Amino acid sequence: MTTASALTFKRQHRVLPGFGLSLGVSLTFISLVLLLPLTSLVGQLSNLSLSQYWFLITDPRIVASYSVTVGAAAVACVFNAGFGLLMAWVLVRYDFPGKRLVDALMDLPFALPTAVAGITLATLYSSNGWIGSLLEPTGLSIAYTWVGIALAMAFTSIPFVVRTVQPVLEDLPVEIDEAAVSLGAKDGHAFRRVILPHLWPALLTGTGLAFVRSLGEFGAVIFIAGGKPYETEITSLMIFVRLQEYDYAGASAVASIVLATSLLLLLIINLWQGRFIKRLHGGRG
Amino acid sequence: MVRFLASVSAVALSLSLVAAPAQAEGQSRELLNTSYDIARELFADINPKFIAWWQAEQGETVSVKQSHGGSSTQARSIMQGLRADVVTFNQVTDVNVLAEAGLVANDWQAQYPNNASPYYSTTAFLVRKGNPKNIESWDDLAADGVELVFPNPKTSGNGRYTYLAAWGYADRAFGGDEAQIEAFMKDFLGNVEVFDTGGRGATTTFVERGIGDVLITFESEVNNIRNEYGVDDYEVVVPPVSILAEFPVAVVEDYAERNGNLDLARGYLDYLYTVEAQRLLAGYNYRVNDAGVAAEFSDRFPQAELLRVEDVFGSWPQAMQTHFANGAKLDQLQRR
C-alpha cells in the first residue's frame, strides 16, 4: 500500500516541472532577492567589535527612538486590529452600493507612495489643516507628535489586517452565524464564541504584519513626525542620519536591531499560528 | 551548425551596420551635473544657456542632464558608481568626501576662483507679516516662546550652516566663552518646533503648515519663497552677522575622463563664472563675486558680515568632527 502510493507520487504529472527544478529556482531567487542583501548588511557589521556594536545600538537617543517607534507601532496595530476587522466584516458580510470601490480603496496604502501619504496626512492634521484646525480648540495636536507617527503607521499598514482577515471570513458561511443565533446566542455572544475563534489566527497574523511594517516605515512617517530629538525621532530616521554621516557600520547596527526584531516577530507569529490552526482543527495540521 | 553560425554572423553583421552610422555621425555628448535638492530650477535655467554658449565657443552641440538630491546622498551615489561629470553642491564636506575617495582632485578648491564657489549665500530668516515676534538677530531666536523651523543639521547641509551661523554669532557675542555659547545654543536648539530632513521640507512646514515664527534657511531660498508664496505675507530678515555659505563645484575627474567629457565638464564650471551665468545666479537670489553683477543686484542683498567656516571653526573637517559627528557637540547640546 505504502509502496503503491509512493509510486503514484513519483509518476504523478505536475503543472510545474519537477520538484527539484522548481525548488532550485525558488531558492536561487530567494538568495538573490532576500538573502544576499541581508548578508551584506550583516557583512557591514563584521567591521564592528561587540562592544562597539553595543555602544552604537544603546546610544540614548537611539534607544529613545526605539520606544517612540515601538510605542507608535503598537498603538497603530491595536487601532488596525479593531478597525481592520470591522472593515473586513463589512466588506464580506454586507452588500451595499460602492462596495467594490471600498474594497479597492483598501489596497491604496500599498499602492500609494508612502511619502505622498505622509505629506497628505501632515497637511490634513497640522494645526492649519482641515482636520487639525478642528481639533486644535480641543488641545489635541496630531501632526508633529507621536500621535501623528501612529496615524501614519496605521494608514500604511491597515491593508495587512483587512487582507488577511477577509478570506478567512469569506470561508465562514453565514449559516454559522445563523445557526448560532437560532440556538439562542445573542449577537455579540455568537460573534465572540463562534466567529472570533476562527478569525484569531488571521487577525493575529495581520496585526503582526502591520506591526512589523510599521517598525520600518520611513516615507510616510517622516513628514508628520517632527523629528525632535528624544521625542519624535523614529528609528528609521536614525538609520538615515547615520548614512548621512557616511557611518555605514552605525547605520547597519541600528538596522540590524529592526531586522532582528521583525524576523523574531514573524517567526513567533508563524509558530503560534501553526499551533492555533492545529488546535482548531483537532490536530489535523 | 553551419546554418547556426551563418545566422549568428548575419545578426552580428546587421548589428554592426546599425551601429556604424550612429558612430560616424558622432553622438552628441552628454554631461551629467549632480547637484543638491533645491537647485533644480536654477540649473534647469542655466543648462540651455550653457548649451548655447558651448555651441558658440566650440561649435559642438551637447546636452546636459541633471540629478538632484540631498548633497550627501548625491556624494554617496557618486561613490557607489553614479557616473557624474561635475558636482555642484552646497557643502564643502561632500566634495571633500569625493576627493578622499579619489574621484575629485585633492586641490579642487584651488582649481576655480573663490574656493571653487561660483556663487554663495548666507543664512537668513523668514518671518511672518509684520514680524510679530520682532526678530532682528540670532539673540531673538534663543528667547523664550519663539518657535523655530530649520532642517536637521544631521541630515541637511542647510541645517548645518544654520547651526554654525548661530554658533559663530554666539562665539562673537560672548567673546568665545564656551559655557555661555553652549547655554545660548541649548536655548536656540530648544526652540526648534520641527526638525525636517531637508530645506524644502522645512519650507513646507513653515509656509504650508503654518508652524513656527521663524524659518531659517539660505537667503536665496528665503527670497524665492517670498516670491513664490506672497511678498506681503512674509518678511526677510538678514541678520547683521551670519555665515558665508559657499556652493562648491568640482569636476569628478575620474568619471569625466572615462565619459570622455573632461573638457566639457571644465567648460561647464568655467561657464558658471561668466557674467551671463552670474547674472542668472543673482536672479535666483544667490550672491555672486562678479563685481559688476553684484553692483547691479546690490539692492537685493543687504550688507552683512559673513563669517567664514574656516575662520571660526578651523576647517570644514574640523567643524564636522567637533560639532556634527556622532556624539559630538550637537548631540551633547540636544542630550537630555
Side-chain angles (χ1 to χ4, degrees):
Chain A
M1 186 66 189
T2 21
T3 40
S5 69
L7 280 176
T8 43
F9 176 79
K10 261 189 180 169
R11 262 189 268 119
Q12 207 169 14
H13 283 282
R14 293 178 182 267
V15 185
L16 275 178
F19 172 72
L21 184 61
S22 27
L23 183 72
V25 170
S26 328
L27 284 183
T28 312
F29 280 104
I30 286 179
S31 309
L32 282 177
V33 177
L34 263 178
L35 293 180
L36 212 59
L38 289 184
T39 319
S40 75
L41 177 81
V42 177
Q44 294 273 12
L45 293 178
S46 61
N47 303 326
L48 297 169
S49 74
L50 208 59
S51 63
Q52 277 174 317
Y53 180 71
W54 183 249
F55 178 77
L56 282 169
I57 60 169
T58 55
D59 180 279
R61 193 157 162 189
I62 290 179
V63 171
S65 83
Y66 297 149
S67 61
V68 170
T69 311
V70 171
V75 170
C77 280
V78 170
F79 173 79
N80 277 350
F83 180 62
L85 178 62
L86 188 70
M87 223 32 240
W89 182 268
V90 168
L91 283 173
V92 172
R93 289 297 161 93
Y94 299 108
D95 268 318
F96 52 90
K99 179 175 164 177
R100 299 218 67 102
L101 183 72
V102 177
D103 199 24
L105 275 178
M106 249 21 266
D107 280 330
L108 205 61
F110 278 164
L112 200 69
T114 50
V116 175
I119 290 175
T120 315
L121 290 173
T123 311
L124 273 180
Y125 287 92
S126 67
S127 52
N128 67 353
W130 199 55
I131 301 177
S133 60
L134 294 177
L135 290 175
E136 187 151 50
T138 68
L140 194 71
S141 55
I142 291 182
Y144 309 113
T145 65
W146 75 265
V147 185
I149 301 179
L151 182 80
M153 286 173 171
F155 178 87
T156 52
S157 62
I158 181 84
F160 281 106
V161 180
V162 180
R163 293 302 186 217
T164 42
V165 171
Q166 212 177 356
V168 181
L169 205 51
E170 267 161 6
D171 282 349
L172 275 185
V174 190
E175 288 76 35
I176 291 191
D177 314 10
E178 289 166 357
V181 174
S182 72
L183 286 173
K186 295 273 179 296
D187 281 3
H189 196 72
F191 181 75
R192 247 183 308 127
R193 300 301 292 272
V194 181
I195 309 288
L196 212 50
H198 286 273
L199 293 185
W200 263 129
L203 188 61
L204 193 87
T205 311
T207 311
L209 287 175
F211 185 80
V212 170
R213 172 85 167 86
S214 299
L215 285 186
E217 181 54 43
F218 180 73
V221 176
I222 205 67
F223 292 98
I224 204 171
K228 274 191 175 177
Y230 300 92
E231 281 176 38
T232 52
E233 275 183 339
I234 51 165
T235 307
S236 36
L237 173 70
M238 301 319 289
I239 299 173
F240 183 63
V241 164
R242 291 287 167 273
L243 282 176
Q244 295 295 105
E245 291 166 348
Y246 302 104
D247 179 4
Y248 297 98
S252 317
V254 181
S256 74
I257 296 296
V258 181
L259 179 72
T261 315
S262 307
L263 267 180
L264 191 72
L265 278 172
L266 289 175
L267 197 68
I268 291 173
I269 292 167
N270 269 324
L271 289 176
W272 193 84
Q273 197 188 22
R275 288 181 59 183
F276 201 100
I277 290 174
K278 249 188 194 153
R279 210 177 66 204
L280 203 66
H281 295 260
R284 297 172 286 117
Chain B
M1 190 62 194
V2 177
R3 265 175 69 182
F4 172 73
L5 278 178
S7 59
V8 165
S9 50
V11 168
L13 190 69
S14 57
L15 276 179
S16 64
L17 281 175
V18 172
Q23 251 170 9
E25 275 173 31
Q27 266 172 333
S28 86
R29 285 197 291 168
E30 198 173 71
L31 185 85
L32 178 59
N33 172 18
T34 310
S35 192
Y36 53 97
D37 243 336
I38 58 183
R40 199 181 303 269
E41 296 86 358
L42 171 71
F43 283 105
D45 244 15
I46 286 183
N47 289 338
K49 295 250 166 67
F50 164 73
I51 291 167
W53 180 79
W54 186 260
Q55 171 78 47
E57 298 267 311
Q58 307 285 331
E60 183 193 5
T61 311
V62 293
S63 61
V64 182
K65 279 197 163 180
Q66 301 171 248
S67 160
H68 295 274
S71 211
S72 307
T73 312
Q74 294 289 60
R76 214 164 39 238
S77 312
I78 292 173
M79 285 196 290
Q80 282 163 357
L82 176 71
R83 300 218 355 202
D85 299 294
V86 293
V87 292
T88 49
F89 281 170
N90 58 12
Q91 279 284 291
V92 172
T93 42
D94 292 323
V95 189
N96 279 339
V97 167
L98 294 178
E100 270 166 40
L103 294 166
V104 164
N106 275 320
D107 64 338
W108 63 272
Q109 273 193 307
Q111 289 187 349
Y112 289 90
N114 311 313
N115 289 325
S117 166
Y119 53 102
Y120 64 102
S121 191
T122 183
T123 296
F125 315 147
L126 189 71
V127 295
R128 299 189 191 281
K129 187 181 182 172
N131 197 357
K133 297 262 165 121
N134 210 2
I135 309 292
E136 295 302 334
S137 182
W138 296 97
D139 270 337
D140 307 320
L141 301 183
D144 269 351
V146 177
E147 296 180 350
L148 312 180
V149 175
F150 64 90
N152 193 339
K154 285 278 187 178
T155 54
S156 159
N158 189 338
R160 281 195 277 274
Y161 275 119
T162 298
Y163 172 95
L164 293 176
W167 184 286
Y169 163 80
D171 181 46
R172 158 110 26 134
F174 303 117
D177 184 313
E178 193 91 351
Q180 275 183 298
I181 300 172
E182 286 185 12
F184 169 84
M185 288 304 287
K186 264 202 167 128
D187 290 341
F188 173 74
L189 290 168
N191 278 347
V192 176
E193 265 306 290
V194 173
F195 257 141
D196 281 292
T197 47
R200 276 285 154 89
T203 301
T204 312
T205 302
F206 182 75
V207 177
E208 305 267 356
R209 318 261 181 274
I211 306 255
D213 301 309
V214 192
L215 169 72
I216 314 171
T217 184
F218 290 129
E219 180 191 41
S220 51
E221 178 80 349
V222 159
N223 280 302
N224 292 338
I225 297 164
R226 206 166 152 252
N227 295 337
E228 181 101 358
Y229 289 101
V231 179
D232 299 329
D233 297 340
Y234 302 98
E235 285 175 29
V236 174
V237 178
V238 178
V241 178
S242 195
I243 196 122
L244 172 69
E246 291 179 320
F247 289 74
V249 299
V251 175
V252 188
E253 291 188 8
D254 192 29
Y255 291 155
E257 200 165 354
R258 274 196 268 168
N259 296 344
N261 281 344
L262 206 51
D263 57 327
L264 185 60
R266 292 198 173 126
Y268 189 74
L269 297 190
D270 286 335
Y271 174 74
L272 296 178
Y273 287 90
T274 62
V275 173
E276 184 183 49
Q278 296 267 302
R279 202 168 276 144
L280 237 155
L281 287 159
Y284 273 88
N285 297 303
Y286 289 107
R287 297 183 182 225
V288 293
N289 289 301
D290 186 281
V293 178
E296 216 176 294
F297 287 86
S298 63
D299 55 325
R300 282 199 193 194
F301 305 109
Q303 287 282 324
E305 189 188 350
L306 302 186
L307 306 168
R308 285 181 55 89
V309 171
E310 285 80 0
D311 295 340
V312 184
F313 302 96
S315 69
W316 262 109
Q318 221 172 315
M320 291 302 285
Q321 214 188 347
T322 40
H323 290 276
F324 303 115
N326 191 8
K329 272 279 147 54
L330 174 61
D331 279 342
Q332 290 164 24
L333 291 169
Q334 290 181 325
R335 189 160 293 158
R336 297 253 148 133

